Amino acid sequence: MTISEVSKKYNISADTLRYYERVGLLPNVARTSGGIRNYSENDCNWVEYIKCMRSAGISVDALIEYVSLFRQGKSTIPARKELLVKQREQILARINELNEVLARLDWKLDGYEEHMLKF
């Protein structure tokens, strides 16, 4: 797939895809003889994974570390798991914070309902 096809499929700009490749999040994407990026299914799997993790709030730096460890092979499995566990804990903390905000917002909205009934 070309960069524009991947960009459309995953709703990520071509500039972002180039950036991910430049900082080491994506493996060296193969190129055609004309120099055009040719994303493989494996490359697309990485794009999908990165997009998912970024949408969860995981930093680019944490993902770069994970990818670097992944490329070093099986000996890094414990370190990769530890990194993912830490990221999971951070996501759970954010979910809890958002649930608290949601509960407060619901309380506020309930108050509006009571006020509306008075008028």
Side-chain angles (χ1 to χ4, degrees):
M1 294 178 78
T2 65
I3 195 166
S4 63
E5 291 169 331
V6 173
S7 175
K8 287 178 189 172
K9 180 175 181 176
Y10 296 103
N11 196 27
I12 300 175
S13 73
D15 286 340
T16 299
L17 290 167
R18 287 184 199 97
Y19 168 73
Y20 287 165
E21 188 177 348
R22 188 172 62 251
V23 298
L25 281 180
L26 286 173
N28 293 328
V29 177
R31 295 182 183 247
T32 65
S33 59
I36 296 172
R37 286 174 176 83
N38 186 18
Y39 288 80
S40 67
E41 183 177 342
N42 188 51
D43 296 331
C44 289
N45 290 339
W46 276 106
V47 170
E48 186 174 25
Y49 176 75
I50 292 164
K51 182 178 179 181
C52 176
M53 296 297 110
R54 290 291 296 136
S55 70
I58 295 177
S59 71
V60 170
D61 289 338
L63 288 170
I64 290 170
E65 183 180 353
Y66 178 83
V67 171
S68 174
L69 290 168
F70 179 84
R71 288 182 178 159
Q72 293 174 40
K74 292 181 181 181
S75 65
T76 66
I77 288 174
R80 283 185 271 159
K81 182 179 179 182
E82 181 181 339
L83 189 142
L84 293 176
V85 167
K86 287 179 184 176
Q87 294 304 312
R88 185 179 188 281
E89 289 169 357
Q90 289 177 4
I91 290 169
L92 281 174
R94 285 187 45 237
I95 288 170
N96 289 333
E97 290 172 10
L98 288 172
N99 280 329
E100 289 175 13
V101 170
L102 183 60
R104 186 172 186 153
L105 188 58
D106 287 343
W107 174 82
K108 188 74 169 173
L109 288 170
D110 288 345
Y112 276 99
E113 293 297 323
E114 289 175 21
H115 290 304
M116 295 291 283
L117 291 174
K118 289 180 184 178
F119 294 107

